Amino acid sequence: TLDEDLNKRTHAMGRAYGLEYMYDGAPAGPAQNYTGTLTDYMLSLGKPTIVAEVGAGIELPFDQVGISEQGVYNVMKHMGMLEGQPELPREQWLIRERPLLRPKNGGMFYPAFGPEYLNQWVPKGTLIAQVRSIRTLEIIEEIYAPCEETVFLNMRGRMSKVHPGDYAYILGNRSDAEHIVND
């Protein structure tokens, strides 16, 4: 927003939630897509608001419910609704660049990395997925890590069919992120 105080309070709430990776940048798609959302409404009232994205449509190697529950308690402590201090990870990263990758071709999607790589990073140029022809299994597209330190924030983590433009990855550029060390 244009309100710097509101931005600072929103950032503090986001940090307090306690995820290792946070995003501070433009939302995906046109701004009018967010008109009328709860986030838009709260910001219009001058209230800090965050969208905590934890989990995916696949089985994850960590307790996504527990992380979400801890995040809610952390925010309540941060806001003075509960006693105590938020439990934060040792390190947090404020991502400012968030590439959204979608295959240009339809076929079978073969990820090189599964859900165990969420919140992990690979160097730029690492092959992260292939799309193969459903008729011949020939590789028709390769997808590479676009950032110096490409962190996996969300992914299509299993082999599946894809259509051109389907969701594949939400990535972050860790190399130019703000690194926060919590005591």
Side-chain angles (χ1 to χ4, degrees):
T1 71
L2 299 176
D3 181 339
E4 283 305 313
D5 179 61
L6 179 56
N7 291 341
K8 286 179 185 175
R9 292 184 296 139
T10 298
H11 279 199
M13 181 186 283
R15 279 194 59 205
Y17 190 87
L19 294 178
E20 185 178 358
Y21 289 96
M22 301 164 286
Y23 174 65
D24 179 32
Q32 68 264 20
N33 289 355
Y34 299 91
T35 302
T37 63
L38 183 56
T39 302
D40 180 58
Y41 176 68
M42 294 303 289
L43 291 173
S44 77
L45 296 176
K47 306 288 185 191
T49 184
I50 61 171
V51 175
E53 294 192 42
V54 179
I58 57 178
E59 186 177 328
L60 298 174
F62 51 83
D63 179 11
Q64 59 191 330
V65 173
I67 290 170
S68 298
E69 181 181 23
Q70 183 63 56
V72 170
Y73 285 125
N74 280 350
V75 169
M76 292 174 75
K77 290 174 184 177
H78 169 75
M79 297 179 72
M81 299 165 72
L82 292 175
E83 291 184 19
Q85 296 297 313
E87 296 177 29
L88 302 177
R90 187 172 125 21
E91 296 180 302
Q92 290 180 294
W93 301 84
L94 184 58
I95 301 287
R96 299 202 191 312
E97 180 185 355
R98 185 184 67 170
L100 307 175
L101 300 187
R102 299 171 184 273
K104 294 176 181 70
N105 297 285
M108 288 302 294
F109 183 84
Y110 289 81
F113 301 95
E116 68 278 3
Y117 267 82
L118 285 168
N119 290 349
Q120 304 299 315
W121 68 273
V122 296
K124 183 176 185 169
T126 300
L127 177 67
I128 59 176
Q130 296 175 331
V131 178
R132 294 174 180 246
S133 165
I134 59 170
R135 288 187 282 275
T136 66
L137 296 182
E138 171 189 3
I139 297 168
I140 56 175
E141 183 176 353
E142 294 183 321
I143 300 173
Y144 294 91
C147 307
E148 293 304 317
E149 293 180 9
T150 301
V151 64
F152 294 96
L153 301 176
N154 205 336
M155 66 170 52
R156 180 183 290 267
R158 302 271 187 252
M159 183 181 75
S160 60
K161 72 170 179 64
V162 290
H163 297 283
D166 275 355
Y167 151 81
Y169 294 101
I170 300 175
L171 305 169
N173 185 0
R174 197 175 96 142
S175 65
D176 67 358
E178 179 184 341
H179 183 213
I180 303 158
V181 178
N182 298 310
D183 295 326

PDB file of all heavy atoms in Angstrom, residues 8-47:
ATOM      1  N   LYS A   8       4.609  -1.663   7.357  1.00  0.00           N
ATOM      2  CA  LYS A   8       5.476  -2.152   8.440  1.00  0.00           C
ATOM      3  C   LYS A   8       4.716  -3.110   9.349  1.00  0.00           C
ATOM      4  O   LYS A   8       5.244  -4.154   9.746  1.00  0.00           O
ATOM      5  CB  LYS A   8       6.021  -0.979   9.257  1.00  0.00           C
ATOM      6  CG  LYS A   8       7.093  -0.199   8.539  1.00  0.00           C
ATOM      7  CD  LYS A   8       7.574   0.969   9.383  1.00  0.00           C
ATOM      8  CE  LYS A   8       8.552   1.808   8.586  1.00  0.00           C
ATOM      9  NZ  LYS A   8       8.953   3.011   9.300  1.00  0.00           N
ATOM     10  N   ARG A   9       3.467  -2.793   9.674  1.00  0.00           N
ATOM     11  CA  ARG A   9       2.667  -3.674  10.529  1.00  0.00           C
ATOM     12  C   ARG A   9       2.350  -4.986   9.815  1.00  0.00           C
ATOM     13  O   ARG A   9       2.342  -6.057  10.437  1.00  0.00           O
ATOM     14  CB  ARG A   9       1.384  -2.970  10.984  1.00  0.00           C
ATOM     15  CG  ARG A   9       1.669  -1.812  11.946  1.00  0.00           C
ATOM     16  CD  ARG A   9       0.412  -1.157  12.497  1.00  0.00           C
ATOM     17  NE  ARG A   9      -0.356  -0.530  11.430  1.00  0.00           N
ATOM     18  CZ  ARG A   9      -1.683  -0.568  11.332  1.00  0.00           C
ATOM     19  NH1 ARG A   9      -2.409  -1.188  12.245  1.00  0.00           N
ATOM     20  NH2 ARG A   9      -2.294   0.030  10.350  1.00  0.00           N
ATOM     21  N   THR A  10       2.119  -4.924   8.517  1.00  0.00           N
ATOM     22  CA  THR A  10       1.854  -6.130   7.735  1.00  0.00           C
ATOM     23  C   THR A  10       3.099  -7.009   7.677  1.00  0.00           C
ATOM     24  O   THR A  10       3.022  -8.228   7.853  1.00  0.00           O
ATOM     25  CB  THR A  10       1.357  -5.761   6.321  1.00  0.00           C
ATOM     26  OG1 THR A  10       0.127  -5.034   6.444  1.00  0.00           O
ATOM     27  CG2 THR A  10       1.132  -6.992   5.458  1.00  0.00           C
ATOM     28  N   HIS A  11       4.260  -6.392   7.442  1.00  0.00           N
ATOM     29  CA  HIS A  11       5.514  -7.163   7.429  1.00  0.00           C
ATOM     30  C   HIS A  11       5.757  -7.828   8.771  1.00  0.00           C
ATOM     31  O   HIS A  11       6.167  -8.995   8.825  1.00  0.00           O
ATOM     32  CB  HIS A  11       6.691  -6.255   7.077  1.00  0.00           C
ATOM     33  CG  HIS A  11       6.838  -5.997   5.620  1.00  0.00           C
ATOM     34  ND1 HIS A  11       8.001  -5.550   5.066  1.00  0.00           N
ATOM     35  CD2 HIS A  11       5.972  -6.129   4.590  1.00  0.00           C
ATOM     36  CE1 HIS A  11       7.852  -5.406   3.764  1.00  0.00           C
ATOM     37  NE2 HIS A  11       6.624  -5.755   3.457  1.00  0.00           N
ATOM     38  N   ALA A  12       5.521  -7.091   9.858  1.00  0.00           N
ATOM     39  CA  ALA A  12       5.734  -7.650  11.203  1.00  0.00           C
ATOM     40  C   ALA A  12       4.799  -8.842  11.433  1.00  0.00           C
ATOM     41  O   ALA A  12       5.203  -9.855  12.009  1.00  0.00           O
ATOM     42  CB  ALA A  12       5.522  -6.576  12.262  1.00  0.00           C
ATOM     43  N   MET A  13       3.553  -8.747  10.978  1.00  0.00           N
ATOM     44  CA  MET A  13       2.612  -9.850  11.126  1.00  0.00           C
ATOM     45  C   MET A  13       3.080 -11.059  10.313  1.00  0.00           C
ATOM     46  O   MET A  13       3.033 -12.197  10.784  1.00  0.00           O
ATOM     47  CB  MET A  13       1.206  -9.432  10.673  1.00  0.00           C
ATOM     48  CG  MET A  13       0.170 -10.533  10.817  1.00  0.00           C
ATOM     49  SD  MET A  13      -1.441 -10.082  10.133  1.00  0.00           S
ATOM     50  CE  MET A  13      -2.046  -9.023  11.425  1.00  0.00           C
ATOM     51  N   GLY A  14       3.541 -10.813   9.098  1.00  0.00           N
ATOM     52  CA  GLY A  14       4.039 -11.891   8.259  1.00  0.00           C
ATOM     53  C   GLY A  14       5.240 -12.593   8.878  1.00  0.00           C
ATOM     54  O   GLY A  14       5.316 -13.820   8.897  1.00  0.00           O
ATOM     55  N   ARG A  15       6.171 -11.817   9.411  1.00  0.00           N
ATOM     56  CA  ARG A  15       7.336 -12.423  10.086  1.00  0.00           C
ATOM     57  C   ARG A  15       6.896 -13.222  11.297  1.00  0.00           C
ATOM     58  O   ARG A  15       7.405 -14.307  11.555  1.00  0.00           O
ATOM     59  CB  ARG A  15       8.319 -11.343  10.521  1.00  0.00           C
ATOM     60  CG  ARG A  15       9.209 -10.876   9.408  1.00  0.00           C
ATOM     61  CD  ARG A  15      10.383 -10.085   9.883  1.00  0.00           C
ATOM     62  NE  ARG A  15      11.217 -10.855  10.793  1.00  0.00           N
ATOM     63  CZ  ARG A  15      12.006 -10.295  11.704  1.00  0.00           C
ATOM     64  NH1 ARG A  15      12.066  -8.987  11.824  1.00  0.00           N
ATOM     65  NH2 ARG A  15      12.741 -11.040  12.489  1.00  0.00           N
ATOM     66  N   ALA A  16       5.944 -12.682  12.051  1.00  0.00           N
ATOM     67  CA  ALA A  16       5.479 -13.348  13.266  1.00  0.00           C
ATOM     68  C   ALA A  16       4.812 -14.681  12.948  1.00  0.00           C
ATOM     69  O   ALA A  16       4.895 -15.613  13.745  1.00  0.00           O
ATOM     70  CB  ALA A  16       4.510 -12.451  14.036  1.00  0.00           C
ATOM     71  N   TYR A  17       4.149 -14.790  11.809  1.00  0.00           N
ATOM     72  CA  TYR A  17       3.510 -16.066  11.455  1.00  0.00           C
ATOM     73  C   TYR A  17       4.532 -17.195  11.528  1.00  0.00           C
ATOM     74  O   TYR A  17       4.237 -18.290  11.966  1.00  0.00           O
ATOM     75  CB  TYR A  17       2.864 -15.983  10.068  1.00  0.00           C
ATOM     76  CG  TYR A  17       1.985 -17.166   9.754  1.00  0.00           C
ATOM     77  CD1 TYR A  17       0.645 -17.169  10.127  1.00  0.00           C
ATOM     78  CD2 TYR A  17       2.487 -18.283   9.116  1.00  0.00           C
ATOM     79  CE1 TYR A  17      -0.172 -18.265   9.861  1.00  0.00           C
ATOM     80  CE2 TYR A  17       1.683 -19.379   8.842  1.00  0.00           C
ATOM     81  CZ  TYR A  17       0.362 -19.368   9.215  1.00  0.00           C
ATOM     82  OH  TYR A  17      -0.431 -20.451   8.958  1.00  0.00           O
ATOM     83  N   GLY A  18       5.745 -16.907  11.056  1.00  0.00           N
ATOM     84  CA  GLY A  18       6.834 -17.837  11.303  1.00  0.00           C
ATOM     85  C   GLY A  18       7.239 -18.768  10.179  1.00  0.00           C
ATOM     86  O   GLY A  18       7.949 -19.736  10.425  1.00  0.00           O
ATOM     87  N   LEU A  19       6.821 -18.496   8.953  1.00  0.00           N
ATOM     88  CA  LEU A  19       7.302 -19.326   7.847  1.00  0.00           C
ATOM     89  C   LEU A  19       8.741 -18.941   7.508  1.00  0.00           C
ATOM     90  O   LEU A  19       9.162 -17.807   7.715  1.00  0.00           O
ATOM     91  CB  LEU A  19       6.420 -19.165   6.616  1.00  0.00           C
ATOM     92  CG  LEU A  19       4.993 -19.683   6.749  1.00  0.00           C
ATOM     93  CD1 LEU A  19       4.215 -19.427   5.473  1.00  0.00           C
ATOM     94  CD2 LEU A  19       4.970 -21.165   7.096  1.00  0.00           C
ATOM     95  N   GLU A  20       9.468 -19.880   6.964  1.00  0.00           N
ATOM     96  CA  GLU A  20      10.860 -19.624   6.597  1.00  0.00           C
ATOM     97  C   GLU A  20      10.949 -18.673   5.411  1.00  0.00           C
ATOM     98  O   GLU A  20      11.844 -17.835   5.350  1.00  0.00           O
ATOM     99  CB  GLU A  20      11.533 -20.954   6.251  1.00  0.00           C
ATOM    100  CG  GLU A  20      13.003 -20.839   5.964  1.00  0.00           C
ATOM    101  CD  GLU A  20      13.653 -22.184   5.661  1.00  0.00           C
ATOM    102  OE1 GLU A  20      12.972 -23.228   5.715  1.00  0.00           O
ATOM    103  OE2 GLU A  20      14.848 -22.174   5.362  1.00  0.00           O
ATOM    104  N   TYR A  21      10.017 -18.780   4.464  1.00  0.00           N
ATOM    105  CA  TYR A  21      10.028 -17.929   3.280  1.00  0.00           C
ATOM    106  C   TYR A  21       8.759 -17.095   3.219  1.00  0.00           C
ATOM    107  O   TYR A  21       7.657 -17.610   3.401  1.00  0.00           O
ATOM    108  CB  TYR A  21      10.158 -18.764   2.000  1.00  0.00           C
ATOM    109  CG  TYR A  21      11.535 -19.356   1.856  1.00  0.00           C
ATOM    110  CD1 TYR A  21      11.801 -20.653   2.278  1.00  0.00           C
ATOM    111  CD2 TYR A  21      12.575 -18.602   1.336  1.00  0.00           C
ATOM    112  CE1 TYR A  21      13.074 -21.185   2.173  1.00  0.00           C
ATOM    113  CE2 TYR A  21      13.847 -19.128   1.225  1.00  0.00           C
ATOM    114  CZ  TYR A  21      14.091 -20.413   1.643  1.00  0.00           C
ATOM    115  OH  TYR A  21      15.353 -20.940   1.543  1.00  0.00           O
ATOM    116  N   MET A  22       8.958 -15.805   2.972  1.00  0.00           N
ATOM    117  CA  MET A  22       7.840 -14.874   2.816  1.00  0.00           C
ATOM    118  C   MET A  22       8.027 -14.150   1.486  1.00  0.00           C
ATOM    119  O   MET A  22       9.155 -13.998   1.014  1.00  0.00           O
ATOM    120  CB  MET A  22       7.837 -13.856   3.957  1.00  0.00           C
ATOM    121  CG  MET A  22       7.721 -14.489   5.337  1.00  0.00           C
ATOM    122  SD  MET A  22       8.179 -13.334   6.642  1.00  0.00           S
ATOM    123  CE  MET A  22       9.958 -13.272   6.460  1.00  0.00           C
ATOM    124  N   TYR A  23       6.938 -13.673   0.917  1.00  0.00           N
ATOM    125  CA  TYR A  23       6.990 -12.951  -0.354  1.00  0.00           C
ATOM    126  C   TYR A  23       6.463 -11.556  -0.168  1.00  0.00           C
ATOM    127  O   TYR A  23       5.394 -11.356   0.419  1.00  0.00           O
ATOM    128  CB  TYR A  23       6.176 -13.695  -1.419  1.00  0.00           C
ATOM    129  CG  TYR A  23       6.064 -12.933  -2.720  1.00  0.00           C
ATOM    130  CD1 TYR A  23       7.191 -12.689  -3.490  1.00  0.00           C
ATOM    131  CD2 TYR A  23       4.852 -12.446  -3.160  1.00  0.00           C
ATOM    132  CE1 TYR A  23       7.109 -11.979  -4.679  1.00  0.00           C
ATOM    133  CE2 TYR A  23       4.753 -11.749  -4.349  1.00  0.00           C
ATOM    134  CZ  TYR A  23       5.884 -11.519  -5.105  1.00  0.00           C
ATOM    135  OH  TYR A  23       5.800 -10.820  -6.273  1.00  0.00           O
ATOM    136  N   ASP A  24       7.209 -10.586  -0.662  1.00  0.00           N
ATOM    137  CA  ASP A  24       6.788  -9.190  -0.630  1.00  0.00           C
ATOM    138  C   ASP A  24       6.953  -8.620  -2.030  1.00  0.00           C
ATOM    139  O   ASP A  24       8.035  -8.185  -2.409  1.00  0.00           O
ATOM    140  CB  ASP A  24       7.635  -8.394   0.364  1.00  0.00           C
ATOM    141  CG  ASP A  24       7.241  -6.926   0.404  1.00  0.00           C
ATOM    142  OD1 ASP A  24       6.055  -6.624   0.197  1.00  0.00           O
ATOM    143  OD2 ASP A  24       8.126  -6.081   0.639  1.00  0.00           O
ATOM    144  N   GLY A  25       5.906  -8.671  -2.777  1.00  0.00           N
ATOM    145  CA  GLY A  25       5.948  -8.163  -4.141  1.00  0.00           C
ATOM    146  C   GLY A  25       4.552  -8.137  -4.713  1.00  0.00           C
ATOM    147  O   GLY A  25       3.569  -8.390  -4.021  1.00  0.00           O
ATOM    148  N   ALA A  26       4.500  -7.848  -5.982  1.00  0.00           N
ATOM    149  CA  ALA A  26       3.208  -7.752  -6.658  1.00  0.00           C
ATOM    150  C   ALA A  26       2.522  -9.111  -6.692  1.00  0.00           C
ATOM    151  O   ALA A  26       3.171 -10.142  -6.838  1.00  0.00           O
ATOM    152  CB  ALA A  26       3.404  -7.245  -8.084  1.00  0.00           C
ATOM    153  N   PRO A  27       1.192  -9.123  -6.538  1.00  0.00           N
ATOM    154  CA  PRO A  27       0.466 -10.388  -6.663  1.00  0.00           C
ATOM    155  C   PRO A  27       0.490 -10.880  -8.109  1.00  0.00           C
ATOM    156  O   PRO A  27       0.789 -10.120  -9.023  1.00  0.00           O
ATOM    157  CB  PRO A  27      -0.957 -10.037  -6.220  1.00  0.00           C
ATOM    158  CG  PRO A  27      -1.070  -8.569  -6.412  1.00  0.00           C
ATOM    159  CD  PRO A  27       0.311  -8.001  -6.273  1.00  0.00           C
ATOM    160  N   ALA A  28       0.199 -12.148  -8.283  1.00  0.00           N
ATOM    161  CA  ALA A  28       0.133 -12.713  -9.630  1.00  0.00           C
ATOM    162  C   ALA A  28      -1.127 -12.208 -10.321  1.00  0.00           C
ATOM    163  O   ALA A  28      -2.191 -12.184  -9.729  1.00  0.00           O
ATOM    164  CB  ALA A  28       0.122 -14.233  -9.561  1.00  0.00           C
ATOM    165  N   GLY A  29      -0.987 -11.802 -11.552  1.00  0.00           N
ATOM    166  CA  GLY A  29      -2.152 -11.364 -12.325  1.00  0.00           C
ATOM    167  C   GLY A  29      -2.512  -9.911 -12.072  1.00  0.00           C
ATOM    168  O   GLY A  29      -1.900  -9.224 -11.260  1.00  0.00           O
ATOM    169  N   PRO A  30      -3.533  -9.443 -12.760  1.00  0.00           N
ATOM    170  CA  PRO A  30      -3.958  -8.043 -12.646  1.00  0.00           C
ATOM    171  C   PRO A  30      -4.490  -7.715 -11.248  1.00  0.00           C
ATOM    172  O   PRO A  30      -5.129  -8.544 -10.601  1.00  0.00           O
ATOM    173  CB  PRO A  30      -5.079  -7.916 -13.682  1.00  0.00           C
ATOM    174  CG  PRO A  30      -5.007  -9.127 -14.538  1.00  0.00           C
ATOM    175  CD  PRO A  30      -4.314 -10.183 -13.742  1.00  0.00           C
ATOM    176  N   ALA A  31      -4.246  -6.491 -10.798  1.00  0.00           N
ATOM    177  CA  ALA A  31      -4.672  -6.050  -9.463  1.00  0.00           C
ATOM    178  C   ALA A  31      -6.186  -6.162  -9.288  1.00  0.00           C
ATOM    179  O   ALA A  31      -6.665  -6.458  -8.193  1.00  0.00           O
ATOM    180  CB  ALA A  31      -4.211  -4.621  -9.219  1.00  0.00           C
ATOM    181  N   GLN A  32      -6.960  -5.960 -10.363  1.00  0.00           N
ATOM    182  CA  GLN A  32      -8.420  -6.026 -10.231  1.00  0.00           C
ATOM    183  C   GLN A  32      -8.907  -7.419  -9.849  1.00  0.00           C
ATOM    184  O   GLN A  32     -10.017  -7.581  -9.358  1.00  0.00           O
ATOM    185  CB  GLN A  32      -9.139  -5.513 -11.483  1.00  0.00           C
ATOM    186  CG  GLN A  32      -8.983  -6.361 -12.711  1.00  0.00           C
ATOM    187  CD  GLN A  32      -7.882  -5.874 -13.629  1.00  0.00           C
ATOM    188  OE1 GLN A  32      -6.996  -5.146 -13.226  1.00  0.00           O
ATOM    189  NE2 GLN A  32      -7.929  -6.290 -14.888  1.00  0.00           N
ATOM    190  N   ASN A  33      -8.061  -8.441 -10.048  1.00  0.00           N
ATOM    191  CA  ASN A  33      -8.447  -9.795  -9.633  1.00  0.00           C
ATOM    192  C   ASN A  33      -8.582  -9.909  -8.119  1.00  0.00           C
ATOM    193  O   ASN A  33      -9.190 -10.851  -7.620  1.00  0.00           O
ATOM    194  CB  ASN A  33      -7.415 -10.829 -10.096  1.00  0.00           C
ATOM    195  CG  ASN A  33      -7.440 -11.043 -11.591  1.00  0.00           C
ATOM    196  OD1 ASN A  33      -8.282 -10.504 -12.301  1.00  0.00           O
ATOM    197  ND2 ASN A  33      -6.511 -11.830 -12.077  1.00  0.00           N
ATOM    198  N   TYR A  34      -8.011  -8.972  -7.380  1.00  0.00           N
ATOM    199  CA  TYR A  34      -8.001  -9.039  -5.921  1.00  0.00           C
ATOM    200  C   TYR A  34      -9.025  -8.093  -5.287  1.00  0.00           C
ATOM    201  O   TYR A  34      -9.190  -8.094  -4.076  1.00  0.00           O
ATOM    202  CB  TYR A  34      -6.583  -8.758  -5.403  1.00  0.00           C
ATOM    203  CG  TYR A  34      -5.623  -9.784  -5.933  1.00  0.00           C
ATOM    204  CD1 TYR A  34      -4.927  -9.577  -7.124  1.00  0.00           C
ATOM    205  CD2 TYR A  34      -5.461 -11.005  -5.292  1.00  0.00           C
ATOM    206  CE1 TYR A  34      -4.087 -10.545  -7.639  1.00  0.00           C
ATOM    207  CE2 TYR A  34      -4.618 -11.976  -5.798  1.00  0.00           C
ATOM    208  CZ  TYR A  34      -3.929 -11.741  -6.976  1.00  0.00           C
ATOM    209  OH  TYR A  34      -3.107 -12.705  -7.482  1.00  0.00           O
ATOM    210  N   THR A  35      -9.705  -7.317  -6.103  1.00  0.00           N
ATOM    211  CA  THR A  35     -10.735  -6.421  -5.600  1.00  0.00           C
ATOM    212  C   THR A  35     -11.863  -7.244  -4.978  1.00  0.00           C
ATOM    213  O   THR A  35     -12.339  -8.208  -5.564  1.00  0.00           O
ATOM    214  CB  THR A  35     -11.298  -5.541  -6.742  1.00  0.00           C
ATOM    215  OG1 THR A  35     -10.207  -4.813  -7.312  1.00  0.00           O
ATOM    216  CG2 THR A  35     -12.353  -4.582  -6.241  1.00  0.00           C
ATOM    217  N   GLY A  36     -12.237  -6.878  -3.761  1.00  0.00           N
ATOM    218  CA  GLY A  36     -13.321  -7.567  -3.082  1.00  0.00           C
ATOM    219  C   GLY A  36     -12.867  -8.747  -2.237  1.00  0.00           C
ATOM    220  O   GLY A  36     -13.688  -9.369  -1.577  1.00  0.00           O
ATOM    221  N   THR A  37     -11.571  -9.065  -2.243  1.00  0.00           N
ATOM    222  CA  THR A  37     -11.091 -10.155  -1.396  1.00  0.00           C
ATOM    223  C   THR A  37     -11.032  -9.678   0.054  1.00  0.00           C
ATOM    224  O   THR A  37     -11.042  -8.475   0.342  1.00  0.00           O
ATOM    225  CB  THR A  37      -9.696 -10.635  -1.822  1.00  0.00           C
ATOM    226  OG1 THR A  37      -8.766  -9.555  -1.646  1.00  0.00           O
ATOM    227  CG2 THR A  37      -9.684 -11.116  -3.269  1.00  0.00           C
ATOM    228  N   LEU A  38     -10.942 -10.609   0.978  1.00  0.00           N
ATOM    229  CA  LEU A  38     -10.818 -10.251   2.383  1.00  0.00           C
ATOM    230  C   LEU A  38      -9.547  -9.444   2.619  1.00  0.00           C
ATOM    231  O   LEU A  38      -9.552  -8.466   3.377  1.00  0.00           O
ATOM    232  CB  LEU A  38     -10.827 -11.514   3.258  1.00  0.00           C
ATOM    233  CG  LEU A  38     -10.782 -11.288   4.764  1.00  0.00           C
ATOM    234  CD1 LEU A  38     -11.919 -10.397   5.238  1.00  0.00           C
ATOM    235  CD2 LEU A  38     -10.802 -12.629   5.495  1.00  0.00           C
ATOM    236  N   THR A  39      -8.463  -9.813   1.953  1.00  0.00           N
ATOM    237  CA  THR A  39      -7.210  -9.073   2.078  1.00  0.00           C
ATOM    238  C   THR A  39      -7.397  -7.628   1.612  1.00  0.00           C
ATOM    239  O   THR A  39      -6.990  -6.686   2.293  1.00  0.00           O
ATOM    240  CB  THR A  39      -6.103  -9.763   1.255  1.00  0.00           C
ATOM    241  OG1 THR A  39      -5.954 -11.095   1.719  1.00  0.00           O
ATOM    242  CG2 THR A  39      -4.790  -9.027   1.350  1.00  0.00           C
ATOM    243  N   ASP A  40      -8.005  -7.434   0.469  1.00  0.00           N
ATOM    244  CA  ASP A  40      -8.264  -6.095  -0.064  1.00  0.00           C
ATOM    245  C   ASP A  40      -9.124  -5.286   0.908  1.00  0.00           C
ATOM    246  O   ASP A  40      -8.849  -4.113   1.177  1.00  0.00           O
ATOM    247  CB  ASP A  40      -8.951  -6.220  -1.432  1.00  0.00           C
ATOM    248  CG  ASP A  40      -9.252  -4.881  -2.068  1.00  0.00           C
ATOM    249  OD1 ASP A  40      -8.313  -4.098  -2.284  1.00  0.00           O
ATOM    250  OD2 ASP A  40     -10.448  -4.625  -2.353  1.00  0.00           O
ATOM    251  N   TYR A  41     -10.148  -5.911   1.450  1.00  0.00           N
ATOM    252  CA  TYR A  41     -11.047  -5.230   2.390  1.00  0.00           C
ATOM    253  C   TYR A  41     -10.307  -4.801   3.656  1.00  0.00           C
ATOM    254  O   TYR A  41     -10.431  -3.666   4.106  1.00  0.00           O
ATOM    255  CB  TYR A  41     -12.222  -6.148   2.735  1.00  0.00           C
ATOM    256  CG  TYR A  41     -13.155  -5.561   3.766  1.00  0.00           C
ATOM    257  CD1 TYR A  41     -13.937  -4.445   3.465  1.00  0.00           C
ATOM    258  CD2 TYR A  41     -13.242  -6.117   5.030  1.00  0.00           C
ATOM    259  CE1 TYR A  41     -14.785  -3.891   4.415  1.00  0.00           C
ATOM    260  CE2 TYR A  41     -14.095  -5.576   5.985  1.00  0.00           C
ATOM    261  CZ  TYR A  41     -14.862  -4.460   5.674  1.00  0.00           C
ATOM    262  OH  TYR A  41     -15.691  -3.916   6.618  1.00  0.00           O
ATOM    263  N   MET A  42      -9.526  -5.712   4.246  1.00  0.00           N
ATOM    264  CA  MET A  42      -8.796  -5.380   5.475  1.00  0.00           C
ATOM    265  C   MET A  42      -7.795  -4.253   5.237  1.00  0.00           C
ATOM    266  O   MET A  42      -7.673  -3.340   6.064  1.00  0.00           O
ATOM    267  CB  MET A  42      -8.088  -6.622   6.037  1.00  0.00           C
ATOM    268  CG  MET A  42      -9.045  -7.697   6.523  1.00  0.00           C
ATOM    269  SD  MET A  42     -10.210  -7.129   7.793  1.00  0.00           S
ATOM    270  CE  MET A  42      -9.091  -6.945   9.175  1.00  0.00           C
ATOM    271  N   LEU A  43      -7.087  -4.291   4.129  1.00  0.00           N
ATOM    272  CA  LEU A  43      -6.153  -3.213   3.818  1.00  0.00           C
ATOM    273  C   LEU A  43      -6.884  -1.885   3.643  1.00  0.00           C
ATOM    274  O   LEU A  43      -6.390  -0.838   4.070  1.00  0.00           O
ATOM    275  CB  LEU A  43      -5.327  -3.555   2.576  1.00  0.00           C
ATOM    276  CG  LEU A  43      -4.317  -4.686   2.735  1.00  0.00           C
ATOM    277  CD1 LEU A  43      -3.693  -5.045   1.387  1.00  0.00           C
ATOM    278  CD2 LEU A  43      -3.239  -4.327   3.753  1.00  0.00           C
ATOM    279  N   SER A  44      -8.085  -1.926   3.058  1.00  0.00           N
ATOM    280  CA  SER A  44      -8.860  -0.683   2.880  1.00  0.00           C
ATOM    281  C   SER A  44      -9.277  -0.092   4.224  1.00  0.00           C
ATOM    282  O   SER A  44      -9.509   1.110   4.330  1.00  0.00           O
ATOM    283  CB  SER A  44     -10.094  -0.930   2.002  1.00  0.00           C
ATOM    284  OG  SER A  44     -11.122  -1.591   2.732  1.00  0.00           O
ATOM    285  N   LEU A  45      -9.351  -0.935   5.272  1.00  0.00           N
ATOM    286  CA  LEU A  45      -9.668  -0.465   6.625  1.00  0.00           C
ATOM    287  C   LEU A  45      -8.413  -0.044   7.389  1.00  0.00           C
ATOM    288  O   LEU A  45      -8.501   0.349   8.557  1.00  0.00           O
ATOM    289  CB  LEU A  45     -10.389  -1.566   7.414  1.00  0.00           C
ATOM    290  CG  LEU A  45     -11.749  -2.006   6.904  1.00  0.00           C
ATOM    291  CD1 LEU A  45     -12.283  -3.168   7.743  1.00  0.00           C
ATOM    292  CD2 LEU A  45     -12.732  -0.843   6.904  1.00  0.00           C
ATOM    293  N   GLY A  46      -7.253  -0.171   6.754  1.00  0.00           N
ATOM    294  CA  GLY A  46      -6.007   0.175   7.416  1.00  0.00           C
ATOM    295  C   GLY A  46      -5.515  -0.899   8.362  1.00  0.00           C
ATOM    296  O   GLY A  46      -4.721  -0.623   9.270  1.00  0.00           O
ATOM    297  N   LYS A  47      -5.944  -2.130   8.162  1.00  0.00           N
ATOM    298  CA  LYS A  47      -5.567  -3.250   9.027  1.00  0.00           C
ATOM    299  C   LYS A  47      -4.524  -4.118   8.317  1.00  0.00           C
ATOM    300  O   LYS A  47      -4.658  -4.412   7.138  1.00  0.00           O
ATOM    301  CB  LYS A  47      -6.785  -4.136   9.351  1.00  0.00           C
ATOM    302  CG  LYS A  47      -7.960  -3.390   9.937  1.00  0.00           C
ATOM    303  CD  LYS A  47      -7.673  -2.958  11.344  1.00  0.00           C
ATOM    304  CE  LYS A  47      -8.925  -2.306  11.940  1.00  0.00           C
ATOM    305  NZ  LYS A  47      -8.623  -1.642  13.183  1.00  0.00           N
TER     306      LYS A  47
END
